[in-house]
Amino acid sequence: MKVTINDVAKLAGVSMKTVSRVINKEPSVRKKTYDQVMQAVKELNYQPNIAARNLAGTSSFAIGLVYDNPNAYYVIDMQNGVLSRCRDEGYELVIHPCESNSENMAEEFVTMIKRSRLAGLVLTPPLSEQQAIIDMLDELGIHYVRLLSGRAQEAESSANNCIFVDDYAAAYEITEHLIQLGHNKIAFVLGDEEHKSTAERLAGYRDALKAHDIKQDDTLLYHGTYSFESGVKGAKALLADGNPNQITAILGGNDEVAAGALFAARLMNIEIPGQLSISGFEDSPFSRQTWPKLTTAHQANNIISEHAARLLFSKTRGHRKNDKEVSHVFTPSMVVRESTGRVTQ
Amino acid sequence: MKVTINDVAKLAGVSMKTVSRVINKEPSVRKKTYDQVMQAVKELNYQPNIAARNLAGTSSFAIGLVYDNPNAYYVIDMQNGVLSRCRDEGYELVIHPCESNSENMAEEFVTMIKRSRLAGLVLTPPLSEQQAIIDMLDELGIHYVRLLSGRAQEAESSANNCIFVDDYAAAYEITEHLIQLGHNKIAFVLGDEEHKSTAERLAGYRDALKAHDIKQDDTLLYHGTYSFESGVKGAKALLADGNPNQITAILGGNDEVAAGALFAARLMNIEIPGQLSISGFEDSPFSRQTWPKLTTAHQANNIISEHAARLLFSKTRGHRKNDKEVSHVFTPSMVVRESTGRVTQ
DNA sequence: AAGCAATTTGACAGCGTTGTCATTTTGGCA
DNA sequence: TGCCAAAATGACAACGCTGTCAAATTGCTT
């Protein structure tokens, strides 16, 4: 019933240590030996015991995914991306949702790391942006990869453990798309202030306006959060009193915000996109389930997170030279659907 | 830096084994000794090493959550419920998304269990309903708890490792709600045929109609899946050609389906709830983000899954007699929002 | 105060793997 | 052929905890 490394060793006629070498893809095992061992592994359907490996080895066979994000679609995508890499590598994934502003977060964090002796961590925003956390991890000597909002040039000068999503470029593109449709009163319902993505997206928006000589008007900015409710509130606020600013388009901080704006527009009997264009950000399944479907910027979270895991593993394990360079910047690309249209007057 | 059980033992002036007893809440430790040990644990901020516990102990300190469900909200709720229990108990959670109809699912399944030596499993539908899986687990001697769709009376006669959600009752209630609003041409866009919840919800719907002497009409049934797209298709099919059946209400198999139906209605310029009532099922955040907001049946997935974990632990560990009875049936309760209204003609 | 069962504690050997370091084998070269 | 460095393999002791079983302590009872 229970097959140990010892059984395999006996069957293959080698020592346990050699089997261990094969399992761990260590170099300096003769091809012939390797084959013998693999043969035995298959024959016995041997599965290495993770607990024993964790205990005996220097680093454990588990990585953690840390997030503080209410967006279920985002989280699931992240999980699945990391998970698929973990399966390939024979690692376990320990998920760690948390609240970044809670008192004992840091403590819980350390508890988890100590308990599981994690080989590394994938940090998602906004936690990946908190210097205090980064410092703590450095101090503890924990490997980690950060998912961050940032631009291509930033990526080059950055430490080698970051994955960037170029929100700036994406926001620029979306804004330009709206401008090309004839909009010049474009409002923006921003996400959480403390998220770097909020600043990046705002910067992209601003620069696009500037590039097209459209005057900036901060009364068109609504400072909200990355939530549906915030989208509703923001749109209501912006369009209140008969839309004094003559807004013709609203950029949502993300798809949920955009959906919220859509909801508000409906309440106010505003036609989308006839009277008002709305765009999202992220391309979560969400954006295909609103009416009308959202124009948005596609961000492949599952692929991004898979890359993050890949990068983490490349630092963690035997530093195999073949997968040397891992790409570090992802730029969301625009998806035009039905929520944006040419401006009419 | 690294605190072991041995350090604690020394500080507390007892043996390692005694510390172990305290950590594991085993009985027969004198109060005084217990306090001493706990004191030392705190002082050193000792965290038991999971890998070592797993390796040395009979059962491991990790449970698995298995799901095959495209609904992100559902999955996240499940995870969080189970996770909160795991944290309390000092267990790890291994998440295992899978595809129940894939070839090598069973194999992957076993691999995972062997690798991690899981203490137990929480199975969600539709996997929890597959006899082949149950048999396999029984054979392997794995503890598990099943989340199932079923009625109160069923729960009593069932094995002691199931948590039931009374979809029948919920569907009955929703249907009755619609009937009381004057509807008698109530269509139903059903979920996946192989999910037991689909049959249960249909039965509830049927019995409610019967109880109110409304004739059953199977042309009002659309056999779909639990997806948004299915809701769109279903509603389109049901209402095609000028709504020959004079449908005044549509029951969605779940919230996504209902949202899809809503979407289709909008495409067809049908007013909700003026010309058509639509109801959902599950009360995912989703149902508050459609327009209009969905009437639905609230199903507290995070609480349900927490109970499942609780039940699993009660079978796994020291069978503490104090948390003897765990409730086994959850009945979703209706939440009336804006997508259902009185019938008008 | 002695005797005894019940309770509490401890010593020690594993759990299944990997790290260390010693030993054997290999293949190239004189 | 013999020698030697390099490559491949193996023996054995950890890793940090728990299970087993034996020893010590407790608190009754007589």
Side-chain angles (χ1 to χ4, degrees), chain A residues 42-334:
Chain A
K42 268 199 195 105
E43 209 156 302
L44 299 174
N45 185 24
Y46 165 70
Q47 292 298 335
N49 176 313
I50 292 202
R53 301 226 281 182
N54 288 351
L55 185 55
T58 327
S59 91
S60 90
F61 281 76
I63 64 171
L65 173 65
V66 189
Y67 50 87
D68 170 21
N69 196 309
N71 186 166
Y73 289 116
Y74 178 85
V75 172
I76 290 285
D77 270 354
M78 285 292 156
Q79 286 181 358
N80 289 342
V82 174
L83 212 46
S84 81
R85 213 82 267 291
C86 282
R87 282 192 184 167
D88 289 354
E89 303 269 350
Y91 273 60
E92 283 186 339
L93 175 63
V94 174
I95 54 176
H96 190 83
C98 63
E99 291 177 21
S100 56
N101 47 8
S102 99
E103 265 308 301
N104 45 2
M105 189 213 54
E107 201 182 320
E108 274 181 11
F109 211 64
V110 175
T111 300
M112 174 197 61
I113 294 168
K114 275 196 185 169
R115 274 188 131 103
S116 312
R117 281 171 85 243
L118 298 178
L121 248 36
V122 173
L123 301 174
T124 63
L127 284 95
S128 55
E129 296 158 358
Q130 290 183 217
Q131 195 55 45
I133 291 186
I134 303 305
D135 291 344
M136 188 183 77
L137 293 177
D138 284 339
E139 206 167 304
L140 290 169
I142 312 273
H143 289 277
Y144 58 87
V145 166
R146 301 159 73 187
L147 256 48
L148 293 168
S149 178
R151 311 177 203 178
Q153 53 268 43
E154 234 171 309
E156 280 160 31
S157 64
S158 83
N160 193 28
N161 59 354
C162 303
I163 302 272
F164 289 92
V165 173
D166 196 337
D167 285 307
Y168 171 88
Y172 192 103
E173 194 184 2
I174 289 192
T175 308
E176 201 160 49
H177 161 73
L178 290 170
I179 293 170
Q180 275 156 5
L181 288 173
H183 298 274
N184 56 18
K185 290 285 190 182
I186 304 171
F188 197 164
V189 179
L190 298 158
D192 299 72
E193 193 165 13
E194 58 273 27
H195 285 47
K196 197 177 164 219
S197 60
T198 297
E200 287 292 313
R201 291 174 190 180
L202 178 56
Y205 158 85
R206 287 211 144 112
D207 283 2
L209 291 184
K210 192 179 294 171
H212 291 268
D213 291 324
I214 296 175
K215 127 169 163 307
Q216 313 257 338
D217 179 356
D218 281 5
T219 61
L220 300 186
L221 262 30
Y222 179 87
H223 297 271
T225 66
Y226 281 127
S227 71
F228 182 87
E229 282 71 25
S230 174
V232 177
K233 271 198 202 168
K236 277 187 184 168
L238 289 163
L239 305 171
D241 304 322
N243 189 8
N245 287 311
Q246 296 180 275
I247 292 165
T248 61
I250 294 181
L251 236 72
N254 67 5
D255 289 334
E256 303 214 4
V257 170
L262 223 48
F263 185 94
R266 179 123 325 113
L267 281 178
M268 295 185 270
N269 280 310
I270 297 171
E271 288 266 310
I272 314 292
Q275 299 173 261
L276 180 74
S277 286
I278 293 181
S279 95
F281 220 111
E282 253 172 56
D283 194 22
S284 76
F286 216 85
S287 59
R288 267 155 277 149
Q289 303 180 349
T290 53
W291 197 87
K293 295 180 185 176
L294 288 173
T295 290
T296 185
H298 178 69
Q299 181 181 324
N301 287 322
N302 54 347
I303 294 178
I304 293 174
S305 63
E306 195 183 329
H307 263 261
R310 195 187 299 276
L311 182 55
L312 184 59
F313 283 127
S314 81
K315 308 186 114 42
T316 299
R317 301 285 298 157
H319 296 250
R320 280 165 256 153
K321 298 294 171 194
N322 33 348
D323 22 297
K324 221 173 173 179
E325 286 301 295
V326 220
S327 110
H328 289 172
V329 186
F330 289 86
T331 304
S333 63
M334 226 182 49

Side-chain angles (χ1 to χ4, degrees), chain B residues 148-268:
Chain B
L148 293 167
S149 178
R151 312 178 203 177
Q153 54 269 40
E154 234 171 308
E156 279 162 29
S157 64
S158 84
N160 194 28
N161 58 356
C162 302
I163 302 273
F164 289 92
V165 174
D166 196 337
D167 285 307
Y168 170 87
Y172 192 102
E173 194 186 3
I174 289 191
T175 309
E176 201 160 47
H177 161 73
L178 290 169
I179 294 170
Q180 275 155 8
L181 288 172
H183 299 274
N184 56 21
K185 290 285 190 181
I186 304 172
F188 196 163
V189 178
L190 297 159
D192 298 74
E193 193 164 14
E194 58 273 28
H195 285 49
K196 200 180 164 215
S197 59
T198 297
E200 286 293 314
R201 291 173 190 181
L202 177 56
Y205 158 86
R206 288 210 143 113
D207 283 3
L209 293 182
K210 190 180 296 171
H212 289 268
D213 291 325
I214 297 174
K215 130 169 157 311
Q216 314 256 339
D217 180 356
D218 281 3
T219 61
L220 301 186
L221 262 29
Y222 179 87
H223 298 271
T225 67
Y226 282 127
S227 71
F228 182 86
E229 283 71 25
S230 174
V232 177
K233 272 198 200 167
K236 277 185 182 167
L238 289 164
L239 304 171
D241 305 321
N243 190 8
N245 286 312
Q246 297 180 276
I247 291 165
T248 60
I250 295 182
L251 235 71
N254 66 7
D255 289 334
E256 304 213 4
V257 170
L262 222 48
F263 185 94
R266 178 122 325 113
L267 282 178
M268 294 185 271

